[in-house]
Structures are given as C-alpha cells and as structure tokens.
Amino acid sequence: MSSNIVPGPQIADERERERVRLAQPLAISDDIIAVGRTFKGSKQRCEWHVCFGPYGREHVVEVTISKRSGKRSVSFDGQAIHTTYISPKGAFNFGFSLEGRVLSLTSRAGSTDAAAVELSVDWVRWQLMTRKDELTMAAMTELEMALQRRIS
C-alpha cells in the first residue's frame, strides 16, 4: 500500500461526521457489477456499502475498472475522488482519509478483475470487518451506547 493518503470528501452533516470519526466501521454489503456498454465484461464496478456504528448512515465506496484502457475511477457516496490509468500488469493502490479514518483500496499486480480489489478501513480488510447484519440487537445497542459516551 502506498503511504500517500489523500484527503477524501467532506461529510456535511455534523452528527454523521462525529459518527464516522468515532464509531466502529461495519460492513453492510459488497457487489461486482458488469457495466460495459458494448461488452458487459469489459468494465466492472465494485461497490462496498459500509456504515460507522450500527445506526450510522450507509456510505458507498465504488471502484470502476476498465479492462481495455486500464482506467480506475474511485468514488465515495457518488462523488468522484480519484482517477488513474494502470497497465494490466500494474498494481492498484489508493487511500483516502475520511474524518480521520483511512480507507484504502488495493489490488494485486497483473489483475484487471474487480474481484481482486480489496477495501480496508483503518487497515482492517473488508473480509475481517464486523458485518452489520450479524450483530444482535443487544450488540447494536451496546455499540451505540459506547459511541454516545465517546461523543458526550
């Protein structure tokens, strides 16, 4: 992973900014969608849905990959934040800060497939993040109460 972390987008809502800054990131879902116009498989979009705390707003991190041109586009909540071109043999590494958190995207060299791209939040890989749908109501309440104590 590159040590260059660029500033990410700003979150307008003050309460959500606090939540992003202090709450535990939770994985909601991820998906890979073929979005090429002429050849569906020539361009793929990988989406990760994440929230901060059990009652935080859902945020979407997207990477669109063109297999033909090598273009990689990253967006957060629909806002474009980075575009680059990479040779098919090159690795993709991009990180951005979000209210003090670090979100990073990496893929291994030589792969143009969206399934090879991995999201990490504060250096915790997506596959290891707590999934929101696996939390019990008691666990959600406990996490929320802990967050409220940190905010107060």
Side-chain angles (χ1 to χ4, degrees):
M1 173 69 204
S2 169
S3 61
N4 297 333
I5 306 296
V6 301
Q10 299 296 310
I11 295 176
D13 180 57
E14 185 176 337
R15 289 180 58 109
E16 184 62 16
R17 274 198 315 267
E18 276 300 300
R19 185 172 285 286
V20 169
R21 208 176 352 263
L22 299 172
Q24 177 180 346
L26 300 170
I28 297 174
S29 66
D30 60 326
D31 199 10
I32 298 173
I33 305 157
V35 294
R37 284 190 212 142
T38 307
F39 301 105
K40 286 289 184 195
S42 67
K43 188 181 284 186
Q44 295 177 319
R45 184 174 61 234
C46 194
E47 297 180 352
W48 296 269
H49 297 251
V50 63
C51 65
F52 294 88
Y55 302 108
R57 195 179 107 210
E58 183 174 322
H59 296 283
V60 181
V61 178
E62 293 179 353
V63 176
T64 303
I65 298 171
S66 172
K67 292 182 178 185
R68 294 190 70 151
S69 69
K71 182 178 179 181
R72 308 287 191 269
S73 300
V74 178
S75 66
F76 180 81
D77 286 347
Q79 179 183 350
I81 57 174
H82 180 72
T83 299
T84 190
Y85 290 85
I86 299 171
S87 77
K89 295 181 180 179
F92 173 65
N93 296 305
F94 175 69
F96 64 98
S97 63
L98 182 69
E99 304 299 335
R101 307 311 278 267
V102 175
L103 285 78
S104 59
L105 297 155
T106 59
S107 72
R108 61 185 176 274
S111 179
T112 58
D113 190 48
V117 180
E118 197 170 71
L119 172 71
S120 297
V121 179
D122 293 337
W123 316 117
V124 176
R125 293 175 41 213
W126 178 260
Q127 292 82 354
L128 301 176
M129 288 175 59
T130 302
R131 294 198 52 91
K132 181 179 178 181
D133 61 359
E134 294 175 357
L135 291 175
T136 63
M137 187 56 80
M140 289 174 69
T141 302
E142 186 178 320
L143 280 172
E144 188 64 21
M145 288 174 57
L147 172 62
Q148 293 308 318
R149 284 192 298 273
R150 290 183 76 190
I151 290 174
S152 325

